[in-house]
Amino acid sequence: MPSGIAVTGVSRSFGSVFALRDATLTVPVGSVTALIGPNGSGKTTLLLMLATLLTPTTGAIRINGHDPVTEPDLVRAQMGWMPDTLGTWPSLSPRAALQTTGRMYRMNREQSAVRADELIALADLGDFADQPSRVLSRGQKQRLSLARALVHSPGVLLLDEPASGLDPAARAALRQLLRRLAGEGTAILVSSHVLAELDEMADAAVYLADGRTASPEQVAAAGASARAWRIRSLDDAALERALGTPGVVGTPAQVIGVDQLGTLVQVESEAAAAALLHNLVLSGVPVCDFGPAVGNLEHTFLDLTRDAPAVPGSLPVAPTESEATT
């Protein structure tokens, strides 16, 4: 039975330099998992190993139960791979590129033509379907790249910065598509630096730094740490008075600043945030916006990688590495 992605204790070295040191993660079928980490953390190296393009130095990888090292053909038959920059055949049209990709997956001419038509509609490339790919914009090339990864209806999908170059409408369409594919049973791993985008589509997240994946305990602790909440009011003076009144903010919260979007308050927990909002409303403050200053994934990522004295067992800050290495 399909089992998605399983990575256990994987490392990868280039000479004496380790791009990955100890990566362990799972991506279940029917889910979208975010792969998050700073530049040089080993994300690309991990994706290349999952895609059968690099061999692990140590550890084990399984894609729907198959080993990318010993069974690359079986893995590739079940996996769609969209790298950050796939490139296009400049002289080929999107239709021809998709048909050619279908033939590579052993579809006959009729099957590849039908599948190309389906994916052209899915990627909203109808107006450019028969134009040379060199005329496509960056965002259109990204949509073509995703369509090529989907040609053979893979059960596992690896995406590296899939929203790069997409306009807001195309980003929303991408989120909807990935959620639909997950609902149909696809295991999807998405690497992106746009954490707000991942917050809206991912069921879970894997955090990488210094080539290591954060443990569930580290992630839980980081996610539960104090965070900044932003408040906006129709009456800034009333908000300022209320926040300066003893008993309204209370000991669980601390005003930490004001920016162009509102007043920032450090809050220890969601329960403390709810109590703060309750007290502000009871004080007659017309609150029009109240929420975390950053999304859950960004908050957890920043807490895991912050430049502060580390507690025992915490995830270290990743050093800068050459992208060519990782």
Side-chain angles (χ1 to χ4, degrees):
M1 294 294 292
S3 56
I5 299 171
V7 176
T8 307
V10 165
S11 68
R12 169 69 198 204
S13 64
F14 297 88
S16 61
V17 177
F18 275 84
L20 273 183
R21 298 174 184 275
D22 183 14
T24 296
L25 63 104
T26 59
V27 181
V29 295
S31 70
V32 179
T33 296
L35 179 61
I36 299 171
N39 290 336
S41 60
K43 300 188 302 298
T44 299
T45 297
L46 175 60
L47 288 172
L48 289 172
M49 287 191 289
L50 294 174
T52 76
L53 301 176
L54 279 178
T55 301
T57 302
T58 61
I61 298 173
R62 294 295 181 270
I63 306 292
N64 279 350
H66 299 294
D67 187 337
V69 176
T70 61
E71 304 171 290
D73 289 345
L74 290 176
V75 169
R76 292 170 186 171
Q78 300 180 41
M79 179 199 64
W81 163 230
M82 178 185 173
D84 183 16
T85 304
L86 177 60
T88 59
W89 294 297
S91 61
L92 290 187
S93 68
R95 189 187 308 279
L98 292 170
Q99 290 176 351
T100 301
T101 303
R103 297 303 302 276
M104 292 178 179
Y105 283 102
R106 297 181 173 83
M107 297 179 184
N108 61 37
R109 291 185 184 276
E110 181 180 356
Q111 290 170 331
S112 62
V114 170
R115 186 59 175 156
D117 289 342
E118 294 172 349
L119 292 170
I120 285 168
L122 183 69
D124 193 22
L125 291 171
D127 292 341
F128 300 90
D130 298 302
Q131 299 293 317
S133 293
R134 62 175 173 268
V135 308
L136 300 180
S137 68
R138 164 68 171 163
Q140 290 162 344
K141 289 178 180 178
Q142 282 293 95
R143 300 206 300 270
L144 175 57
S145 179
L146 177 59
R148 286 167 62 182
L150 295 173
V151 161
H152 56 306
S153 302
V156 172
L157 196 55
L158 308 176
L159 306 176
D160 192 359
E161 301 291 346
S164 176
L166 300 186
D167 60 37
R171 286 173 182 262
L174 173 66
R175 292 194 301 268
Q176 294 171 3
L177 172 61
L178 295 186
R179 290 310 320 170
R180 177 169 69 79
L181 291 173
E184 294 170 356
T186 307
I188 304 173
L189 181 63
V190 185
S191 174
S192 177
H193 289 105
V194 186
L195 302 191
E197 197 80 35
L198 294 176
D199 251 321
E200 298 185 24
M201 72 171 75
D203 301 295
V206 174
Y207 297 87
L208 265 177
D210 195 28
R212 298 180 175 90
T213 47
S215 69
E217 294 77 17
Q218 290 172 311
V219 173
S225 64
R227 64 192 305 179
W229 286 61
R230 181 175 283 109
I231 309 168
R232 283 198 305 119
S233 172
L234 299 176
D235 187 338
D236 291 336
L239 175 61
E240 184 178 356
R241 286 194 302 270
L243 291 175
T245 301
V248 174
V249 175
T251 55
Q254 177 185 359
V255 178
I256 57 176
V258 178
D259 63 17
Q260 71 276 17
L261 299 177
T263 299
L264 296 171
V265 178
Q266 189 83 351
V267 179
E268 293 295 330
S269 65
E270 290 187 347
L276 172 59
L277 177 60
H278 176 74
N279 290 339
L280 289 173
V281 173
L282 286 181
S283 299
V285 179
V287 176
C288 59
D289 189 26
F290 185 92
V294 298
N296 291 330
L297 295 181
E298 185 172 348
H299 168 70
T300 302
F301 168 72
L302 291 175
D303 193 85
L304 286 169
T305 57
R306 68 177 49 175
D307 284 312
V311 297
S314 66
L315 195 70
V317 178
T320 301
E321 298 177 10
S322 167
E323 285 297 315
T325 302
T326 61

